[in-house]
Amino acid sequence: MESTPPRRKSGINLPSSMKETSLRLDAFSTPRSSPSLPKTNFPSPMSMSPRTLSNLSSSPSSKSASCSDRFIPCRSSSRLHAFGLVETASPGKEGGGNEAYIRLLRSELFGPDFGCFSSPAGSSMSPSPNILKFKTDHSGANSPYSPSILGTGSGVSDEVSTPPKPPRKVPKTPHKVLDAPSLQDDFYLNLVDWSSQNVLAVGLGTCVYLWTASNSKVTKLCDLGPSDSVCSVQWTREGSYISIGTSLGQVQVWDGTKCKKVRTFSGHQTRTGVLAWSSRILSSGSRDRNILQHDLRNPNDFVSKLGGHKSEVCGLKWSHDDRELASGGNDNQLLVWNLHSQQPTLRLTEHTAAVKAITWSPHQAGLLASGGGTADRCIRFWNTGNGNQLNSIDTGSQVCNLAWSKNVNEIVSTHGYSQNQVMVWKYPSMSKVATLTGHSMRVLYLAMSPDGQTIVTGAGDETLRFWNVFPSVKTPAPVKETGMWSLGRTYIR
């Protein structure tokens, strides 16, 4: 018997009842139907030409050809919604971890470069607008373990939990206006001060008036007479005594509760334009360029004389711990003194105009702020421990006064030429909190209420204006009282 040559296996396991001839394929004709297999249009790989294979492989998405069991689809044209990996927003999780989980799963399955393909127009593959909503750091965008993708980074939690803080609202109009006739328009004088017992002292011409804030009562403290005038007023820290500097160079101390003179100090040759109290020492600055230290317990007119300025002393302020005294003069100098020397420990000469505005920080020891006049216009900050200038900002106007809030770390400044405004600054950024206008002349005088919420400003327009600029330590209390009163006159306007 002649042996039949062995047939080549087709690679398909057939049932015993099925012949291989039933699966014979023709590359260009429709195969015979089989009762056990459905119709197919697949050409036989063994009988088709290489050109046919080339055409088939180059157009896997053609409608006239389907893929065999060996076909690997191109992922860029796959219908990914069949895998449930499209970035559809979850109705129960808005901006939550559902999208982040899908993105991480896609990256693990298809690689970090997945997602660069373009989706058909109008399909469900269009990216959700919430995907990058909380992303802040773009440096690690290609990493599937980026904290911004996983939703555990600090940038995500900060944006979700802490929305931007709105700026604090400061009323732009004064809540009270006092009529102050004869309030002088003189840059070198200091005619307004507010005591810790809530009494405002104002020097008007030859007289000093006291205005009690609790009941709006006006009291005439003294009249210096036709040959003298008031150049400065300053309350003690306890608020019971008030000192008065005169144009004749005297320094008088009065009991504000009894309206009685306690002491008169001499020693200056000309007007005394600025005063400053420490716990036990009264310092006075004069046009004679000297600073005198007075002590009520000492019978002498002064206990020491500080000579360092070359022109009139117009700014004077003790630090809160009574260790340092800062003085400013018309010689453009800012000097810092201590209790143990009659020579300044610091001589700061960066200002290019008179230095009247001086304030110490109540929040940080050794932090001093000073303001220059018309030719300078700058607020400068100093570390008196080493004499370094920490910062400087050009305000655009003559700086007449500075006051540091004790409730918040902010500064208020008053200005003259040419804006005549009041400005509130946030320290240390020196961003503007508010700009207040209303005075028609230079805002030469400034004082703060004992609770630290209200300031009073005075100008040569003969008005005193009260502004609510700072919050209270706990909860701000709205001021309901409005109107205008008169200082030195009997009528209400």
Side-chain angles (χ1 to χ4, degrees):
M1 180 181 294
E2 187 177 348
S3 62
T4 304
R7 295 182 179 180
R8 185 168 50 183
K9 294 182 179 181
S10 62
I12 303 177
N13 295 326
L14 300 176
S16 57
S17 61
M18 184 180 296
K19 297 180 181 181
E20 290 188 20
T21 56
S22 63
L23 285 177
R24 183 176 299 168
L25 303 176
D26 193 332
F28 303 101
S29 62
T30 306
R32 291 170 294 180
S33 60
S34 172
S36 59
L37 290 176
K39 286 185 178 183
T40 177
N41 292 327
F42 292 152
S44 172
M46 298 178 62
S47 59
M48 66 173 57
S49 64
R51 183 177 179 181
T52 306
L53 284 172
S54 175
N55 294 335
L56 180 62
S57 61
S58 63
S59 58
S61 60
S62 174
K63 296 181 179 179
S64 61
S66 302
C67 299
S68 69
D69 62 328
R70 299 295 296 167
F71 177 72
I72 300 175
C74 178
R75 289 170 181 158
S76 63
S77 60
S78 299
R79 298 179 180 178
L80 295 178
H81 61 273
F83 295 92
L85 295 178
V86 293
E87 299 178 5
T88 55
S90 173
K93 298 180 179 180
E94 182 126 354
N98 189 33
E99 293 83 4
Y101 170 75
I102 291 176
R103 297 179 65 188
L104 179 59
L105 181 59
R106 282 205 332 269
S107 182
E108 288 294 314
L109 292 177
F110 303 113
D113 295 330
F114 173 78
C116 300
F117 62 91
S118 59
S119 303
S123 69
S124 60
M125 291 296 295
S126 59
S128 169
N130 292 329
I131 291 294
L132 300 178
K133 182 177 182 180
F134 303 114
K135 185 174 177 61
T136 56
D137 185 9
H138 298 280
S139 60
N142 291 329
S143 172
Y145 302 104
S146 172
S148 59
I149 295 178
L150 295 176
T152 57
S154 59
V156 174
S157 60
D158 289 345
E159 290 187 23
V160 173
S161 60
T162 57
K165 186 177 181 181
R168 180 167 58 84
K169 293 183 179 180
V170 177
K172 296 301 180 67
T173 57
H175 68 86
K176 190 175 297 182
V177 179
L178 296 182
D179 184 22
S182 302
L183 186 61
Q184 297 188 52
D185 182 29
D186 193 326
F187 177 81
Y188 301 98
L189 305 185
N190 294 269
L191 298 176
V192 178
D193 194 32
W194 204 331
S195 77
S196 59
Q197 297 186 11
N198 210 17
V199 179
L200 185 69
V202 185
L204 301 177
T206 63
C207 302
V208 175
Y209 291 90
L210 305 181
W211 180 81
T212 305
S214 59
N215 55 17
S216 301
K217 180 182 178 181
V218 178
T219 303
K220 183 177 180 180
L221 177 67
C222 65
D223 188 344
L224 301 181
S227 61
D228 207 349
S229 63
V230 180
C231 296
S232 56
V233 294
Q234 181 73 38
W235 288 97
T236 60
R237 293 182 179 177
E238 295 77 15
S240 55
Y241 285 9
I242 182 174
S243 55
I244 302 171
T246 74
S247 60
L248 296 179
Q250 291 185 342
V251 177
Q252 301 180 7
V253 180
W254 288 70
D255 186 335
T257 58
K258 300 178 180 179
C259 295
K260 181 180 179 181
K261 184 190 295 185
V262 176
R263 184 83 181 266
T264 299
F265 296 109
S266 300
H268 287 299
Q269 303 303 314
T270 182
R271 71 177 184 184
T272 306
V274 60
L275 300 166
W277 282 95
S278 70
S279 298
R280 59 183 182 86
I281 297 296
L282 170 62
S283 302
S284 59
S286 172
R287 182 182 276 180
D288 64 10
R289 302 172 293 177
N290 294 321
I291 300 172
L292 299 182
Q293 309 280 50
H294 311 277
D295 192 336
L296 289 175
R297 301 166 298 180
N298 193 302
N300 298 324
D301 284 327
F302 56 91
V303 295
S304 63
K305 177 186 292 187
L306 307 179
H309 286 283
K310 300 177 181 179
S311 187
E312 180 173 7
V313 181
C314 52
L316 211 55
K317 195 78 67 174
W318 279 96
S319 63
H320 297 279
D321 56 8
D322 291 344
R323 294 183 178 182
E324 293 179 301
L325 174 67
S327 63
N330 199 30
D331 55 0
N332 309 343
Q333 293 190 90
L334 175 66
L335 306 183
V336 179
W337 316 75
N338 61 28
L339 292 173
H340 310 293
S341 175
Q342 294 188 358
Q343 296 297 322
T345 58
L346 289 176
R347 189 181 293 271
L348 308 172
T349 59
E350 278 75 2
H351 283 291
T352 58
V355 182
K356 177 190 178 185
I358 299 174
T359 184
W360 292 88
S361 171
H363 311 286
Q364 182 178 343
L367 179 55
L368 176 67
S370 59
T374 306
D376 184 78
R377 306 182 306 274
C378 290
I379 300 176
R380 303 178 188 270
F381 297 88
W382 313 89
N383 181 347
T384 59
N386 52 26
N388 291 338
Q389 180 176 272
L390 303 178
N391 193 12
S392 175
I393 181 170
D394 191 339
T395 65
S397 299
Q398 174 189 43
V399 184
C400 300
N401 292 280
L402 289 172
W404 213 307
S405 171
K406 62 181 181 180
N407 297 347
V408 290
N409 201 7
E410 295 177 1
I411 298 174
V412 59
S413 59
T414 69
H415 300 269
Y417 305 124
S418 58
Q419 302 299 321
N420 303 332
Q421 78 272 47
V422 180
M423 303 183 72
V424 183
W425 311 83
K426 191 173 185 62
Y427 187 83
S429 66
M430 292 306 290
S431 58
K432 294 180 183 179
V433 178
T435 300
L436 311 176
T437 58
H439 285 289
S440 59
M441 298 182 69
R442 297 182 295 174
V443 190
L444 297 176
Y445 311 110
L446 171 68
M448 188 175 297
S449 63
D451 62 5
Q453 299 182 56
T454 304
I455 62 169
V456 57
T457 58
D461 57 11
E462 299 187 346
T463 63
L464 296 174
R465 298 173 184 267
F466 293 76
W467 316 80
N468 286 331
V469 296
F470 297 121
S472 65
V473 178
K474 296 180 180 179
T475 304
V479 178
K480 299 180 180 179
E481 185 179 9
T482 59
M484 177 176 283
W485 288 261
S486 173
L487 282 176
R489 295 179 182 173
T490 57
Y491 60 85
I492 297 177
R493 190 167 71 184

